[in-house]
């Protein structure tokens, strides 16, 4: 039974939404955030990346940075860049990226449900990143960026949301990355009805993106318990699983042994079936696009070399690890090995070619994208996805809604 709750959102007025909206904090560097927010005091990057308002080179995890984020959030409220809705609502948030469409529900989710694993995880968190988000959220007194959730699609929920979208949206704009964003505010009664429908028709929720933010929300609640604040919930957007788009998370490797393209190709042929190909992207699971020596190849795992039914062993990213990265390149821990880098699928095959042709890597590996059903199966089994196995697009914009506590 999914527990999604209406909340009092702080949101930008329609006239300012495009200037307030910003990319999530973790997809831009400090330098990129500084450039994006230059000349725009409305940008939510002043809250999510507050170091941009301080001296260059400052430690982004220092107290002055967290304090500036708190002060900047207060300023956006005082200047009317963010305005509190008078009643608690749920919201419908639609995104368009090329031909892809996805429609989610903006709500608050229960910390108790997260702690009880009714909001399931598929990724381990890093202590340093979890500490950072905990301090950031606690210092703000707010959940400033939503956690990206998914759930098994429900025909009844789909029908309710489709009906809610028949009116004109309150927000309707296209961000600089070409993604369209539309937002509908459900009235108080409709918000209650949709929350009840989720409770009746939807089972567990799953974290798609935002493991550190959700873990931090749990920690902040534990730290503040008893102070009367509404931190027993955290900000989310929940999308049905059949609307989710996962792009491949590709790999580029610098060979420590210094082998040339012919040597690497020979080593690969000892493990897999390899043929030349004009198509960079693999078309079926268990196969990989390989770029080296200025040529694309298709490498396919041999029959019986992995368990396709196992929730982890059947993942393409795990096959890549077990049959290419570990035996050929000696990469046992891709999280820490400096000879490997990861390239999100949004960058396409040209970026893979560029890195190899420029000598930054010796080989590029184009993976078949993970399916949402695979992610959910891993979560249901209580397991953890291999590192860098999912790249979700489009990203949620920050600044469209904030939950203050």
């Amino acid at each position: 039974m999914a527990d999604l709750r209406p909340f009092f959102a702080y949101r930008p007025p329609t006239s300012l939404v495009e200037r307030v909206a910003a990319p999530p904090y973790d997809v831009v560097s400090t330098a990129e955030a500084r450039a994006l927010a230059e000349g725009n005091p409305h940008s939510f990057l002043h809250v999510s990346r507050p170091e941009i308002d301080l001296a260059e080179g400052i430690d982004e995890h220092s107290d002055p940075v967290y304090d500036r984020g708190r002060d900047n959030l207060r300023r956006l409220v005082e200047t009317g860049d963010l305005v509190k809705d008078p009643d608690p609502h749920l919201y419908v948030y639609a995104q368009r990226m090329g031909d892809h469409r996805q429609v989610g529900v903006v709500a608050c989710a229960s910390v108790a449900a997260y702690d009880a694993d009714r909001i399931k995880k598929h990724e381990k968190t890093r202590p340093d990143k979890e500490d950072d988000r905990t301090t950031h959220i606690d210092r703000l007194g707010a959940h400033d960026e939503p956690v990206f959730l998914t759930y098994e699609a429900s025909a009844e929920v789909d029908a309710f949301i489709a009906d809610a979208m028949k009116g004109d949206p309150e927000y309707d704009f296209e961000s600089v990355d070409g993604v369209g964003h539309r937002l509908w505010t459900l009235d108080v009664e409709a918000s209650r009805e949709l929350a009840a429908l989720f409770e009746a028709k939807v089972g567990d929720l799953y974290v798609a993106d935002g493991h550190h933010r959700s873990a931090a929300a749990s920690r902040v609640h534990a730290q503040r318990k008893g102070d009367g604040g509404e931190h027993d919930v955290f900000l989310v957007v929940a999308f049905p699983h059949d609307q989710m788009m996962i792009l491949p998370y590709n790999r580029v490797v610098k060979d420590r042994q210094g082998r040339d393209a012919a040597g690497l190709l020979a080593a690969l042929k000892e493990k897999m079936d390899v043929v030349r190909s004009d198509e960079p992207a693999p078309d079926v699971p268990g196969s990989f696009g390989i770029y080296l020596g200025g040529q694309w190849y298709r490498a396919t795992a041999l029959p019986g070399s992995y368990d396709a039914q196992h929730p982890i062993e059947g993942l393409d990213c795990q096959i890549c690890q077990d049959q290419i990265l570990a035996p050929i390149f000696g990469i046992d821990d891709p999280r820490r090995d400096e000879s490997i880098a990861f390239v999100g699928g949004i960058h396409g095959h040209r970026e893979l070619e560029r890195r190899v042709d420029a000598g930054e890597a010796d080989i590029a590996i184009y993976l078949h994208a993970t399916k949402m059903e695979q992610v959910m199966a891993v979560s249901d089994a209580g397991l953890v996805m291999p590192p860098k196995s999912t790249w979700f697009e489009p990203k949620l914009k920050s600044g469209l809604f904030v939950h203050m506590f």
Side-chain angles (χ1 to χ4, degrees), residues 256 321 325-327 329-337 339-340 387:
R256 283 189 287 255
Q321 174 62 35
L325 298 179
F329 296 99
I331 297 173
D332 295 318
D333 185 357
R335 295 178 188 272
R336 295 178 173 82
D337 199 306
S339 63
I340 187 171

Side-chain angles (χ1 to χ4, degrees), residues 291-304:
Y291 184 76
L292 72 169
Q295 172 65 45
W296 281 98
Y297 299 85
R298 181 63 44 79
T300 303
L302 300 176

Side-chain angles (χ1 to χ4, degrees), residues 113-383:
Y114 174 85
D115 291 341
D117 206 33
R118 297 197 307 276
I119 300 176
K120 296 187 174 183
K121 308 88 174 167
H122 68 260
E123 181 181 295
K124 288 183 178 178
T125 57
R126 282 174 41 184
D128 58 335
K129 292 185 67 176
E130 191 177 309
D131 290 344
D132 167 61
R133 287 301 90 187
T134 299
T135 304
H136 175 74
I137 292 169
D138 186 57
R139 199 70 56 90
L140 290 182
H143 300 113
D144 60 323
E145 294 190 301
V147 174
F148 194 160
L149 299 183
T150 190
Y151 59 91
E152 188 172 350
S154 158
E156 292 89 346
V157 172
D158 285 350
F160 190 101
I161 291 174
D163 188 61
M165 295 170 63
K166 289 179 179 177
D168 293 333
E170 188 171 349
Y171 298 160
D172 188 355
F173 69 98
E174 185 175 292
S175 48
V176 294
D177 55 6
V179 176
H181 305 268
R182 306 174 84 189
L183 188 81
W184 290 261
T185 302
L186 301 185
D187 63 33
V188 172
E189 183 58 32
S191 296
R192 291 175 182 149
E193 289 177 9
L194 183 54
L197 194 58
F198 263 89
E199 185 175 8
K201 299 296 182 181
V202 176
D204 292 330
L205 299 167
Y206 300 80
V207 178
D209 198 9
H211 285 81
H212 293 93
R213 292 191 291 279
S214 50
S218 174
R219 286 176 55 181
V220 168
H221 174 57
Q223 291 170 186
R224 287 182 170 236
K225 191 174 293 185
D227 69 1
E230 193 187 43
H231 39 71
D232 60 334
V233 294
F234 59 100
L235 185 62
V236 304
V237 185
F239 293 89
H241 83 282
D242 57 1
Q243 293 182 25
M244 301 283 280
M245 181 166 70
I246 305 178
L247 301 181
Y249 218 147
N250 300 316
R251 279 81 165 128
V252 291
V253 180
K254 190 73 175 175
D255 182 36
R256 283 189 287 255
Q257 299 181 43
R259 289 167 288 189
D260 61 13
L264 290 174
L265 190 61
L268 191 62
K269 286 182 175 179
E270 292 179 2
K271 299 292 182 182
M272 294 182 160
D273 179 45
V274 183
V275 296
R276 289 172 69 103
S277 175
D278 294 326
E279 294 295 329
D283 55 355
V284 295
S287 67
F288 305 85
I290 303 293
Y291 184 76
L292 72 169
Q295 172 65 45
W296 281 98
Y297 299 85
R298 181 63 44 79
T300 303
L302 300 176
S305 63
Y306 65 95
D307 182 357
Q309 303 306 313
H310 191 279
I312 297 292
E313 293 178 17
L315 296 172
D316 284 68
C317 52
Q318 189 63 43
I319 299 169
C320 177
Q321 174 62 35
D322 293 341
Q323 300 196 26
I324 300 177
L325 298 179
I328 297 177
F329 296 99
I331 297 173
D332 295 318
D333 185 357
R335 295 178 188 272
R336 295 178 173 82
D337 199 306
E338 295 183 357
S339 63
I340 187 171
F342 302 89
V343 182
I346 193 69
H347 301 292
H349 70 278
R350 297 296 184 193
E351 176 62 13
L352 300 178
E353 294 172 355
R354 185 198 68 77
R355 294 199 186 197
V356 174
D357 293 344
E360 299 174 16
D362 295 304
I363 186 173
I365 308 169
Y366 198 134
L367 276 68
H368 195 268
T370 304
K371 300 298 184 185
M372 194 63 236
E373 291 84 354
Q374 293 176 301
V375 178
M376 294 166 75
V378 169
S379 298
D380 287 340
L383 301 174

